[in-house]
């Protein structure tokens, strides 16, 4: 039996490449570092991870021994579904509608450290008289119209291209003082709602 890779066939594990990539990334290894430790070329690791080649049992044992993990444990691993990276406008999730609209990037933020919103404020709309507070940091860039931002005792009207960034534990409020819809893209860490 050869230690070299074989051409991927119909009986090869379609998740093998994803399993190896996920395991390598969890251990903080680059393809180059794993290849170096295993004594193989970087191309071999790349081809395995892309499922373009099916490694022999000997080669796979050699590579996994560098992590280290047994073959049995490797094949028992649950493969994690790939996280969605790109979102069309229709895939943004409306989490508050009406005069103030919050459209969130991504549906489930339970395992995420960052919340990204596309916010829209109709003329005269605001987040309310009561100032907001939450355990986070947030920032944003106005992309259309005007947005009055109050943070603590500071207040400023921002226009397209202007930005803000602050500690969300400070009392804050957003209001559209203009006559056209205001739009802003914001980020909050950790997600606040």
């Amino acid at each position: 039996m050869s230690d070299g890779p074989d051409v991927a066939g119909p009986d090869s594990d379609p998740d093998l490449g994803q399993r190896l990539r996920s395991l390598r990334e969890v251990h903080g290894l680059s393809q180059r570092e794993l290849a170096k430790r295993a004594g193989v070329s970087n191309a071999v690791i790349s081809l395995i991870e892309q499922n373009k080649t099916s490694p022999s049992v000997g080669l796979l044992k050699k590579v996994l021994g560098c992590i280290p993990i047994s073959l049995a444990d490797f094949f028992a691993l649950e493969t994690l579904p790939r996280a969605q990276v790109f979102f069309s406008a229709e895939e943004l999730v409306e989490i508050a509608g009406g005069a103030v609209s919050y459209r969130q990037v991504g549906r489930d933020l339970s395992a995420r450290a960052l919340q990204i919103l596309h916010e829209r404020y109709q003329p005269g709309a605001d987040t309310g008289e009561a100032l907001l507070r939450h355990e986070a940091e947030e920032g944003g860039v106005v992309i259309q119209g005007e947005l009055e931002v109050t943070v603590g005792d500071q207040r400023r009207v921002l226009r397209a291209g202007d930005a803000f960034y602050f500690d969300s534990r400070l009392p804050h409020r957003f209001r559209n003082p203009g006559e056209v819809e205001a739009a802003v893209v914001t980020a909050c860490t950790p997600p606040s709602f």
Side-chain angles (χ1 to χ4, degrees):
M1 184 181 290
S2 164
D3 272 354
D6 299 323
V7 176
D11 297 330
S12 64
D13 180 359
D15 293 333
L16 190 137
Q18 179 61 38
R19 279 178 209 268
L20 181 60
R21 180 182 308 113
S22 295
L23 188 63
R24 175 181 58 76
E25 289 172 350
V26 163
H27 284 82
L29 297 171
S30 67
Q31 284 184 346
R32 189 172 310 283
E33 179 61 27
L34 181 57
K36 182 179 172 185
R37 289 182 182 187
V40 299
S41 73
N42 187 50
V44 168
I45 301 298
S46 178
L47 289 170
I48 293 170
E49 288 187 359
Q50 294 175 55
N51 289 315
K52 291 186 177 176
T53 187
S54 181
S56 66
V57 171
L59 175 60
L60 188 56
K61 281 181 75 171
K62 185 185 216 181
V63 170
L64 295 177
C66 300
I67 292 183
I69 187 172
S70 71
L71 276 173
D73 288 342
F74 175 73
F75 284 106
L77 288 174
E78 291 291 323
T79 55
L80 299 174
R82 274 196 162 157
Q84 185 175 358
V85 175
F86 305 105
F87 300 83
S88 66
E90 298 78 31
E91 291 177 301
L92 298 184
V93 179
E94 183 73 48
I95 58 176
V100 178
S101 165
Y102 299 114
R103 296 177 65 229
Q104 178 175 279
V105 177
R107 188 164 297 285
D108 179 14
L109 301 184
S110 60
R112 302 286 185 155
L114 179 69
Q115 180 179 41
I116 302 171
L117 298 173
H118 180 226
E119 302 180 18
R120 292 187 181 132
Y121 296 80
Q122 297 305 314
D126 66 33
T127 55
E129 290 297 320
L131 299 179
L132 305 170
R133 285 183 137 150
H134 46 98
E135 294 288 326
E137 289 185 337
E138 65 187 274
V141 177
V142 177
I143 55 175
Q144 173 186 306
E146 297 179 333
L147 187 67
E148 181 185 87
V149 180
T150 302
V151 179
D153 62 354
Q154 299 179 64
R155 179 178 302 163
R156 182 172 295 173
V157 175
L158 304 176
R159 291 171 180 76
D162 295 339
F164 59 88
Y165 177 59
F166 61 91
D167 182 331
S168 304
R169 291 174 295 187
L170 296 171
H172 55 280
R173 176 182 180 209
F174 302 98
R175 183 177 76 87
N176 179 356
E179 296 180 11
V180 298
E181 180 182 79
V184 59
V185 174
T186 63
C188 185
T189 182
S192 62
F193 61 92

